[in-house]
Structures are given as structure tokens and as C-alpha cells.
Amino acid sequence: MSTSSTQSRGVNRRINSLQSNGNAARDASHTKKRIITHNDAYLYALRVAYLAYLLQPRARRIQHAPAPQIPIQRSSTSINDLMKDFSLLRDNKSTRFPHGFMSELEKRLTGVLMGRERKPEYQDATIKRTFAAFLNAFTEQSFKKRMEKDRRVEDLVLIFFSNATKELQKGKPPGDDSWKLMADRHLALFVRLIRLVLKDHDWARDRPELAARLATLESKLLAHDQDLSSTPTRNGTTSAASIEVIVPLSYEVKDMPLVQLVARIFGLTNTQVQSDINKYKPVWTEKAALQDLKSYQTYLNLNSRKTLRSDDFHFDETYDTWRKGEAHDLSQMMLAIIQSNPELAKSTAASNLPQLQRHMSNPEPTDGSYPDVLRRMSDHSERSSYVIDQPFDMSTLSSGSQSPDTSVDDDNGFAFIPPEPRAYYRFILGEAFMHDVNDQSLQSLEATGDTPAIKILSKHSMDLLNEIGLRWRIPQVSRMTLFLDIVCEKFFDQEISLDNLDGVFNFLKGQPAEGKKPQSFASLLLLDRTQWTLADTALYQSTLSSLHEALMRDLYNAMQECYESKPPSIGPILYVLENHVCNDLSFSKPQEDLDAFSDALHDGLQQKAHETYRSYLEKHVPQDQQSWDFFHVIELGRAVMALAQKIQKRYKKNPEIKGVNPLAALVETVLPLYAEDARDIVTRILELAQGKDEEVPIEDGFQLYNELVEIRQKYGEVLPNVPFAFEIEGTLAEFVWRWIYTTESAINDWVDQAIKQDQFRVRIDNPQQIPTEEQRHSVSVMDIFSSFNQSIDRVVQLNWDDDLQYAKFMTAMAKIVGAGLAHYCEVVEQRFLKEMDRLTPEQEIAASQTKQEKWLQLAKDTWNNKDKIEPFQFFPESFVKLNNIDFAAQQLDKLEHEVNVDACAEVIQRHTPPVTQRQKKINNYVFTIKIVEAEDLKACDMNGSSDPYVVLGDEYQKRLAKTRIIYRDLNPRWDESVDITTQGPLNIIATVWDWDAMGDHDCVGRASLKLDPSHFSDFMPREYWLDLDSQGRILLRVSMEGERDDIQFYFGKAFRTLKRTERDMTRTITDKLSAYIHHCLSRRTLRSLTSKSITVSTVTNYFNRNRPQPTTQAPSEPDITRALKPLFAYFDDNFAIMNQTLTSTAMIMVMTRLWKEVLVTVEALLVPPLSDKLSQQRQLNQQELDIVFKWLQYLFDFFHAVDDETGEANGVPLDVLRSPKYFDITTLNFFYFEPTDALIRTSERMASATAARQQSQRNRLSAPASSAGPAFGGAAGLVGLPSTRRSKSIMHSRNLGTMRKAKEEKRKEAQADPNDDMILRILRMRPEAERYLKDRSRQKERLAAAAAAEMIVRQSLAAGGGRMMGNLPRR
């Protein structure tokens, strides 16, 4: 059978025996466990302490006695023989000194002479004298140089020996050879000094052979003298000698440290203890102790139950090892007793005396000292003040067994060993432990980073316990288990703290304090469990199990207070549990028990959390409901969250305690309770406020929402699948709406206050400073957007958790922002127009003239051919207002991106229910009316012209809009738009007025139009030529779209309001310059260039008509350029003024508008407006046409403003300069002088191509084809047929990006869809084309009517059943 199977069988058998009997096998004969009394334990401890005193090393004292003359014996070995070890290896590098050695040796020698050498053997004056003689020879330059070169040992040693011999012979009589031994000794000291130099400079490691030979040389030289620090009287001279004699024992307690300790432990006085010692001194002798060891050895050999047997160990091999160790220890202990009292050897048989092993003690035990073997048998840590040798209760495994018929006291058979050694040891250990713990004079162990300062056992207590364990033959592991058993028992009885318990475990595991060596012997015993006895294993496991239950109980109780403000610390409990109990190999616990503890702890924490919440509820919420306020809910929530945060921070590093999360237990208990209570309290507060007709402050609602959302977020993290009991958004949404309504009611006042406090000046400190782009707008626009942003941010900062409600909030805020901007634009534009419409100084003088003076001045101006064209003096404040509008558009675009308008619209669209078959009726409609132009107006001024402007009003005479003034023009073009919001049909009246600087304005004519939403169900634009009631007609372009409660719509409307205001203000500025543009780019200027001035010769030639007239000479390039110089100078002067105030964007905008005015003026020179009637305008000749196109090129270069040096364009961009109108004007050069028939054929071809293209687009079911142009009149003017091209939509203007995109698409569409409008305008100057103009007009009307009808049918079919009237589809 194999050894392993045998061992396994033995282990199982012994474990089963232990489990069935409950005790070790060797205690089966015990009928009853002895009760240990305090006095019995004291007496046995006293015996051991007294025995230690008897066996302690005897004290010695020095006595002086004349010493006999010792003849000097000198070894016959010469110095040359001693140096053979070096001379034989003369050239070996390994035996030479290293480089730099000589200088270091010289320093060391100097230190000896100066007394700096700390070695006592170098302090003798004779030594210093011989070393000084050698140093003199050593520092001689030639010798030192040779030594540094050769570096041989024998040279250095021989020169020292030579100088030492000479120095020591001085003063000695002939025949006195005592100096010879002195020379050897001094040379040995010199060799030792050499070795010290090599060692200090780490040269000995590099030259091990040299170091070894020097050590050998030193030992040979010291053959006659080993103590180099002794006095010179040991060199053989005759003098008095000192001898050591043994001091006899006093047998007094004051000389017995361990006996005194026993007295302190058991609370007795030294006198009482002295009495007991005197009483038992005859019995407690070395002989009795020796007899105890012999008896124990006999029992061990007989395998008696009074010692441990093989059944007490896990394996037989372990028992054999222990038994051999016991036999060895017993023999050494007996030898120690005999060495202490040699007289005992006479009464002990030689065969019974053990032989002292050579390697364990000195060969000559003459001093009777305490043998080293006993020191080695005691704990290895005796040198420390605290030791770790003791563990559990193993009293049932006593080394001796008493016979049933013998008395324990009388018949135990031992004098020093008690009947139950482990039981007595445990009792004494407990007394010693508690004595040291309660001893105030005993210093604690030093605290470390992990362990506090604690008290365990003093060094003296450990000496006593080691002595007891040694004498009673208690194994080391038993001492440890007994010690742990005692400590745990004291901990259970709350006599020691958890820190003491932790310190004991650390000692048992050999964890030292910082800077101390680890006590590895104890830790090895803890790890090597195979060396343990069965009883030690069982007791250790039982102790760990009991300790685990106690600590878990403490942990549970401590965790029940974890929600308190100052809970007890669970760190030490967990540390001891994890590091000392649960991680121990001997500990095991069923998982079911651990799970049951976790469940119980979790339930307990929930109950405590519930109690804590109820206490918070009583503290923060009053009993009287009438006094409830949101503040109480907020304070309750803050208290709950503060507790949760405190618990989270408290258990941040260790969130789970034995599988239980205190934070989770708290939150999952408290938050649902808080949610329900908060819901009920808030609902009740709102009901009470409503009953009192009061309102809860908005800020209270916002603050409550923030607190509740934070709590709900934490709730969702802990209970993700459990809904929050409080519908926060549904309950508190009214506070947000109240905030929005409050903002809406105050928005106009905010705008008025901002404008009132604004001086509309650039924001510079020094008038000489050139303002930057950011300084060119004033503070009012910044203030209103600051108000807008603060209002929106107040809602955004709520972090509203309902996307649909948040999108509706932002929609409402967008409507408020749009209304505020509309009001700002209205007020600022009114101020701007007031500044721009002020009278010039000449007009102010004219206003003060009488009627007769006015007529005389007019006649004089007419006779002098004076033009009333004076530069307009612009105010910087006017330009700042334009900058503000531009800045507002940029800020609105930024706000649109920050609000994330598209995402809000998408959320609302996603939550909007599907459109039913009968669509929702639109309540509000937005009509966009563009006042385009007028024709053949009545002349109201004496000069045969008018200064027309248009006023739009409703049927209740409410003024809706007013255009700018076009001076001296009967065919004006305004191109101004206005938005009108209505809930149903509305009649509007367009009145054309003539502006007069003096007196009342004259009415030119009126026309009316009914705006009926049912006529615009297709949302397509329509153009109306309205005949005035006097003369002429006016063109209005009307489009409609339903006003939608949509965030994109509101932002688009706000953008369009800003851009329209910006455009109107820009047009007002350019109108002040357009008069001079018309003056410089006029037919009169052309005539002045192409005809000569009237002189006498011209009059003579007039009467000589029969003579051939000379050919008119074409004007030169300088003449053409000179004609534009006044205009360029006028532009430069005004641009310089503008550039001081306007931003670069506004400047480009003004220049772009002026360029359009230039193009309109040039176009008016070339062709009349589009109409179906003939025009009275004369067609230019070739010379005039060339001049006009040269003007156009010069003006193009001027507005592009290319820097000659850098080549960089600083003016209007090329893509703006090359507009569709510029393209149409340049194409006139190809058709201007074409015959009428050719023009008609070209027009017909273009018309056919346009019709075919529109039909192709309709066949592909694509977007409606572009119109060939505005309708002429006739039936179309009466009915108002829709244009097939969609007009500008508010949705296309919701931000700067969409506006730029729409403008680019319009430009591309105009370039990609050429038409014959310019040809028709040329034909208006050809009388022979009158019939074709009428036919072409009717053809365009039919095409437009057909396209519109088809579009209406398609939209009707798409809407379902052709319902176009009444209910309008949502866009």
C-alpha cells in the first residue's frame, strides 16, 4: 500500500474520531475536566519562574590576584615565511593593491595618528608611535612613487615591519624580547587597517584573493594575541592579574525578574511570593526539574497518554518528526540543567546524560552559563518586546494523563509540570494577556498606516510564557492557537477592542512594524497546517467560526446605524473578517448562510431607511396642510439627496458590504416614498392655491422641478424598470407656460426700454478711434437679444425631460422673439425714416416762402435750367440703426442654431397625430403683398411729373403699409413687400399719393382688392394689375400661406421681418442717392455728349438748310468718362461717410442696392417697362447705345473696386454684379437694332420653347414651370391669375442659410429660363409691333391660366376630392 493512501486513511480515521468524541484521542480516559483555580495556576507559574532563576547564567565578579610570570613564547616562523603567500605570486595582478589605494591608505594612517580612528585597538600610544614611523617612510617620494607603480603587498608589509621593529627596540635592555610579540601585534593591526581600507572602498569584492590572503596573514600574526583592544599587560610582562569568580544565588525575589512578573500578574506582593518560595524551595530544585524531564522522556518512549501520540497528528510522518524533535530537546534541556548544577552529574548515570553537540555549544562548559540551546528552543523573537507564540484552548490535549486511582496533586508524577499543561497554560496566558493590556506603564506597539497603536504582550510576559511552554512541553502551534482562543474570548466579553484582535492576528501572521524584521517562524507555522495536531486544527476552526459569527453580528449592528450622521466604522470589522477570518484556509462557511445574512442585512437596512425617511418627513414637512409650501418638498428632497450623497461618498471605495449595497437599499426604499409624498403634497398645494385664487411663484415651481428631476434621475439609476410615481412635467408645466406668458406680455416693454436708453452711436471711447466691426452696432440690439437669451435660457436650464413639451415651449418662445423683433424693427424703422425724411436747408427755406415767392423761384430755376440735386447729409445714427438690424439677423441665426429649431419641429411632427381625411381648418392666414410698380400715373406737379408713393389700408381705413417715395417718375417701381395677417376675407385699398415738399400731398389714384383665403387655397402667388380710379394702373403681387404654430415658421417670419426692414432701410438710403444717379445717367446727359453746344455758327447753319450738314463727331473716351466723374465723386463722398459707420456687410448691401439702381436706370435708358401698349420712349441710336454700355462697364468696375496693387476685390462680389438683370441688359445689344420682323420671329420662337418646356415639366409631374414673366393686363389683371412660380415662403427664410440657398436657386432659375421680355420691351418702341404686343399678351394670359388651372386640379386631387375651399391643407 502506498504512503499517500496510508496517510489519507489515517487522516480520515482521526478526523472521524475527533468529530465523534469531541476530544482528542489521548484524552479519552479523562472522566472530568479539571477546574483550575487561581492559586493552582499561580503556583505552577511560580515554579517555572523560580526554576528559570535557578538555571539562569551565574553572575560573575572580578577579583585581583598576583599572576605568575608567563614565559614569552615566540613562534619560530620568520616574517619572510609569513610573506611567502604573496612572494610566490609576485606578478599576479589579483594580489596587488588597486589603483588609488596608496592615497586612501595615507589618509587612514593620518586619521590613526590624529585620533579619528574609532577602533579601540588603534588608540594606544605605542601603536600611534610605530604608525608614525612608518608614515614618515611611506610619504618619502621615491618610495611612494615606487609603491604606486608596483602596488605589491610584500613591499608595503616589509617596510612597515622594519620601521615597527626599529621603533619598538628603542629603550629596551639587551635580552628583552618582549618587543617581538609587540611587533607581530602591530603588524597585524597594520594588515587589518589595509583590509578596512579595501572593504570601505568596495575593493575587497573585486580582489577576493587579495582579501583572503590578507586575512590569513592577520590570523598568523595573531597566533599569540587574539584581543587587540586589551591592555599591553597581556604581552607576557609580569603584573597583577584579574580573575572572575561566580556570585552565589541570593534566593531573593528582588533578583528574580520572572518571579516578580508572576507576582504582578496574579496580584500578589513580593513578600507573599518570597514566602511561597521559601516554603517550596526544598522541593523546587534543579534535581526535581531533571527528574521531570527524565519521567517525560520515559513516557515519550513508552508512547504513554501523558504525551502526544500518533493519533493526535494528521500524519504518522508528522508525529515521527515531532517525536524526534522532542527527544533532542529533552536531552539538551537535561544537559543544560547539569551544566547549571554539575553536582547533579554525580547522581546521574552517564548513560542517561546526553552528549552536548559540538555545533550547538562551546566544548568547555566551564562558566555554567544558560546554554544557547534553550535560547534557540524558545521563541525566536525573544529579543523583541512583543512576541507572537500563543494560540487556542488545547487543555483537553494535556501531555500527561493521570491514572484514575492517583491524585493529581500527589500522584501527578511531576514537580514542575501540571496535570493538564495546556489548560494551565491557557489560564496563565489569559491572566498575563489581560495584565499587559491593562498595564498603563506598558507602551503600545507603534502605529502603522494600516494598524493603530495596540498592546498585546510585553517582552517579560513572553519570556515567562516561553519558559512555561518549554518546561511543560507545549508545542509552538498549541501556544498560538491557545493565544488566539484567549484573545477571541476576551473580545467576545468586550474586554479588548477590535484593534487588539487585529494586532494579535498580525503578530500571528508575522506582520512586523515598519523597520523591523518579519517574524517568519509564526507565519510558517500558520501556513504549514500539516504540522498541527488534530485538536489544534479543530480548536482553530471553532475559534474562527465563533469569531466570524461575532463579527458578522457586530457588522449587522453597525450597519443598522449607517444612515446616522456619525455611524460606527465598519472598516476594522471588514478588515478582520476579510483578512483574518474569511481568507483563512481553515475557515469555511456555507453559501446559504452568507446569503441569509445578506438578505437579513438588506431587510434591516430598508427598515432603517424607512425610519430615517419618516424622521425627515416629520422634520421638514409641517403637520398643518395650510402652511405647506414647495419649499418643504424641496427641503425634504434635498435632505434625502444629501443623505444619498453622503452614503455614496461614505461607501465609495466599497459600495457593497457582504453583497448588500447601502445606497441601493436607501434609494429603493426612500425615493418611492418621496415620489408619492411629493406628488400628494404638490397637488394639495396647487389645490389650496387655486381655492384661494392665488398663484404659486414661478421660481418656486422651477426650483421644485430641478430638485425633483435630480431625484428622479437617481431613482432611474437604481430602479430602471420601476416608474417614478410623480408625473413631474405634467404637473409643473403650467409654471413654464406662465413664464412664457409673462415674457410675452413684457417683451414690447423690454424693446421700448432698450431703444429708449440707446443713443444709436458706435461704441468707441475716443472719437478719433476707428470702430471695429463689433463696435458698429449700438447697445439696444444687444440688450434685446440678451433679454431673449435669458428668457430662453431660463427654460433651457430646466432640462425639461419631456421632448414634446420642450419643443412646444421653444415654439412659444420663438413666437415671442419674432414679435419682439418685429416691434424693434417697427420702432427703429420709424425713427430711421424720420431721420431720412427730414427737410434739407433749401427745403426749409422754401417752406417759409409765400406762394408768390415759390412761383417766382420755380420760374427762375426753370429759366436757369437748375437741377435740384444736392447731396444728402446722412446721420451716423441712421447707419447704426441699419447695423443693428444686420446684427439682429446674425444673432437670430445664432439663436436658431442654439435652440435647434429643426429638432424641435421634428419632435412636434413625430408626436402630431396623422392628418385625417378632413383636414384641420386654418384660423390665421398671412398674405404677402408686394407693391411692384405703376404705369401712366397722373402728373400732379407743375413740371409734368409726380413724386409717387403708395399707402395700403383696410376697409376700416387702418393704415397697413407705406412705400418709399419715387421722385419725378410717372412709371415708378417700388418692389416693396408687406405681410398682413387676417382670419378671413379682407378688402385692401391701395392709394397712390404725390409727395409735395410744400402743402398737402395730392392723391394720384385709388384701387381696391379683396384678399380671400379661399382664392389662395393652392398657396400660389398671383399678380394683379389694378386700374386706378383716375389714370394709370398699379401692379400688386399677392401670395398667402397659413400662419402655423410652428417654430420654423416663427423663426422664418422673424428672419423675413429683419431682412425686409434691412432691405427697406437700405432702399431708403439708396433713394437719397438715386436722384443723382438718374440725373447723371439720363438722356439729357447723352444728348450733351452727342450734340454740340448752341453757338452763332450753329444758328447760321440752321438757316442754311440747303447746305450739307457736317457729320457729328463721336465723343471721345475722356468725354464719356468725364460725364461720370461727378457721379463717381458723389459715390465716393457718400461711401466715405458710410464707411465710417456701416459694417462691411451693410456697406456691401448698400453698394449692391445702388448697383441695382444703376441697372434699373440704365435699363430705363434703353427700353421702356413691359406692357402690351406702345411706348412714347424713343429708341437710342448706335452712338448713344455705345455710350450707355461704356457707362455700364465703368460702373461695373467701380462697384467691383479691384485694388490695383493687390488685385483684391473690395466691393460688390462678381456673382452679385452679374445678376439676371445685368445679363438681360447685356443681351439687349444683340437685339436692339434688329428689324421688327426678326424680333417678332425671335419672340415667337422663345415663346414656343417656353410653352414646350412647361408642357414637358407638367408631363413629368414635376414642379410648376416658371412663368414667362408678369402678366400684362386685361382679363388677367381682373381675375388675378396665379403665377406658376412659387413666391418666397416664410419657411424658406427661417435662417440665414435657407435664405442664401433660396436666393441662389432663384438666380440659377432666372439664368436657366430665358424669356422674351426684353424683346417685347424693344417692340414697345416700334409702332409696327402694336398688334403683336396685344396678341402676345393674350397668349401669355392663356398659358398662365392653363398652368394655374392644371396646378389647382392637381392640388385638389392630392387633397382628396377636390376640396379647395374653406378647409386649407397644412403645409
Side-chain angles (χ1 to χ4, degrees), residues 260-266 384-387 390 428-445 454-465 483 486-487 490 495-496 500 504:
Q260 296 176 22
L261 177 62
V262 171
R264 292 195 300 270
I265 290 175
F266 288 93
S384 175
S385 299
Y386 295 87
V387 192
Q390 287 72 8
I428 298 171
L429 174 61
E431 295 294 325
F433 177 71
M434 292 310 300
H435 170 268
D436 289 347
V437 170
N438 298 324
D439 188 1
Q440 299 297 327
S441 63
L442 180 64
Q443 292 184 354
S444 303
L445 284 180
I454 57 174
K455 295 180 180 180
I456 299 181
L457 285 174
S458 66
K459 177 183 180 300
H460 300 295
S461 297
M462 279 309 307
D463 291 342
L464 175 63
L465 293 172
F483 183 38
I486 284 291
V487 171
K490 301 301 181 182
E495 296 183 27
I496 64 172
N500 292 101
V504 169

Side-chain angles (χ1 to χ4, degrees), residues 644-701:
Q645 292 174 358
K646 184 187 298 182
I647 298 302
Q648 183 180 19
K649 183 178 180 180
R650 184 177 296 167
Y651 299 100
K652 182 178 181 181
K653 295 183 179 180
N654 191 12
E656 286 195 358
I657 310 299
K658 294 300 178 181
V660 179
N661 190 323
L663 178 62
L666 173 70
V667 174
E668 67 188 14
T669 303
V670 171
L671 292 191
L673 295 174
Y674 175 78
E676 296 175 0
D677 292 341
R679 176 196 60 199
D680 298 339
I681 295 174
V682 170
T683 303
R684 184 58 181 161
I685 291 173
L686 295 177
E687 291 175 354
L688 293 174
Q690 186 177 3
K692 298 177 182 178
D693 198 17
E694 297 176 353
E695 288 186 345
V696 180
I698 296 176
E699 286 300 325
D700 290 355

Side-chain angles (χ1 to χ4, degrees), residues 557-565 567-568 605 643 647 650-651 662:
N557 295 331
M559 288 299 296
Q560 294 305 298
E561 303 179 30
C562 70
Y563 300 138
E564 302 295 334
S565 58
L605 290 179
L643 177 60
I647 298 302
R650 184 177 296 167
Y651 299 100

